[in-house]
Amino acid sequence: NNKATRFTDNGDYCDGAAIRWDSTGGVLNNSIFINNVADGYAGAICWDSTTDFSTTNSSFINNAAKRGGALYIRSSLSNMIIAKTNFTNNKASEDVGGAICIQTGANNIDLTTCNFTGNEANTAGGALYAGASTIDLDIVDSVFDYNIANTYGGGVYSFANTDLYVNESSFNYNKATQGGAIHTSGYSPKIYSSNFTNNKAINNDEGYGGAIYLTGNDAIIDDSYFKDNHATVYGGAISSKGSNTKITDSQFITNTVD
């Protein structure tokens, strides 16, 4: 366990420029990771344990790797809790997860009161990528601003079998080819009381879902606000390919399609 720790300008030819964590259980609080770079995965932390991990009141700034610019979850961990933590200007230079990449099979992921700003992925998940069989992904009271993915999910990309839950969060000025803020193919994603403004799906041929692109079934969007989002092909605010999408008590204002 680490507390009140600073990691700056570390480099690694493999994975986890600052930390590679293979042991059981980890708590990392009040820590700062700045300018750490890995030639492989995980600019700051590579988590390679199946046990719990948590971090609170921490900051990840200007970290970079091929995949998982700041944090890379390699193994099927049980629980991950990230609270009151900032991810700023992290980059996945060749692949997914500008700030965080959850590779596969995580059980419970909780992000609460976090800020993701200016993160970038070369492919999917400008801020956050949740891979196959991530069971529960909860995002609460968090902010995603100015994140970019060159393919899917400028803010968040969640893969099939992921149970995505978003509540009281905001997504602003995020960009991707599909799903400027969120791209999800998981079953029954739920988005409540959240704001989406000025997000863009910007590809001339596949610019779907300025704010949200849904491919899974039984999505629920409730009490949310969509303003000035834009797509180049269709779905200025939302594009849904799944069945039984339900949108209730929400506002849509000046969203556009070319």
Side-chain angles (χ1 to χ4, degrees), residues 159-177:
F159 203 75
N161 301 323
T162 299
D163 198 354
L164 175 65
Y165 171 84
V166 178
N167 190 24
E168 295 185 340
S169 295
S170 65
F171 296 78
N172 310 291
Y173 296 97
N174 302 287
K175 294 181 183 180
T177 297

Side-chain angles (χ1 to χ4, degrees), residues 154-214:
V156 175
Y157 177 86
S158 65
F159 203 75
N161 301 323
T162 299
D163 198 354
L164 175 65
Y165 171 84
V166 178
N167 190 24
E168 295 185 340
S169 295
S170 65
F171 296 78
N172 310 291
Y173 296 97
N174 302 287
K175 294 181 183 180
T177 297
Q178 297 178 1
I182 296 174
H183 184 298
T184 178
S185 55
Y187 176 75
S188 190
K190 299 173 180 65
I191 299 171
Y192 298 111
S193 304
S194 294
N195 296 328
F196 297 81
T197 61
N198 289 289
N199 302 287
K200 293 182 179 180
I202 53 176
N203 186 277
N204 289 334
D205 298 320
E206 298 181 337
Y208 309 148
I212 301 174
Y213 184 60
L214 304 164

Side-chain angles (χ1 to χ4, degrees), residues 101-166:
C101 174
I102 304 163
Q103 184 60 32
T104 186
N107 289 322
N108 299 293
I109 308 296
D110 293 321
L111 304 178
T112 303
T113 319
C114 293
N115 295 307
F116 294 82
T117 306
N119 302 287
E120 183 176 353
N122 189 53
T123 56
L128 170 64
Y129 174 91
S133 300
T134 300
I135 297 174
D136 290 309
L137 172 59
D138 294 348
I139 300 171
V140 178
D141 189 30
S142 294
V143 177
F144 293 76
D145 288 349
Y146 296 99
N147 302 288
I148 297 173
N150 289 332
T151 59
Y152 309 138
V156 175
Y157 177 86
S158 65
F159 203 75
N161 301 323
T162 299
D163 198 354
L164 175 65
Y165 171 84
V166 178

Side-chain angles (χ1 to χ4, degrees), residues 46-115:
C46 179
W47 182 261
D48 201 4
S49 171
T50 59
T51 56
D52 297 353
F53 170 74
S54 68
T55 184
T56 303
N57 293 322
S58 295
S59 295
F60 295 81
I61 304 167
N62 293 333
N63 302 286
K66 292 179 179 178
R67 179 184 297 179
L71 178 60
Y72 179 74
I73 308 300
R74 185 190 298 277
S75 299
S76 301
L77 56 69
S78 298
N79 300 286
M80 182 174 80
I81 298 172
I82 300 177
K84 298 179 181 178
T85 292
N86 299 319
F87 295 84
T88 307
N89 296 335
N90 302 286
K91 187 173 183 178
S93 60
E94 294 185 12
D95 207 344
V96 297
I100 300 173
C101 174
I102 304 163
Q103 184 60 32
T104 186
N107 289 322
N108 299 293
I109 308 296
D110 293 321
L111 304 178
T112 303
T113 319
C114 293
N115 295 307

Side-chain angles (χ1 to χ4, degrees), residues 172-255:
N172 310 291
Y173 296 97
N174 302 287
K175 294 181 183 180
T177 297
Q178 297 178 1
I182 296 174
H183 184 298
T184 178
S185 55
Y187 176 75
S188 190
K190 299 173 180 65
I191 299 171
Y192 298 111
S193 304
S194 294
N195 296 328
F196 297 81
T197 61
N198 289 289
N199 302 287
K200 293 182 179 180
I202 53 176
N203 186 277
N204 289 334
D205 298 320
E206 298 181 337
Y208 309 148
I212 301 174
Y213 184 60
L214 304 164
T215 62
N217 299 330
D218 300 309
I220 297 173
I221 298 172
D222 178 70
D223 187 32
S224 293
Y225 178 84
F226 297 81
K227 186 176 188 296
D228 292 336
N229 301 287
H230 178 76
T232 54
V233 179
Y234 52 69
I238 299 171
S239 177
S240 177
K241 293 183 67 177
S243 61
N244 300 319
T245 297
K246 296 181 181 179
I247 302 173
T248 55
D249 298 325
S250 297
Q251 297 185 61
F252 293 81
I253 302 171
T254 56
N255 302 285

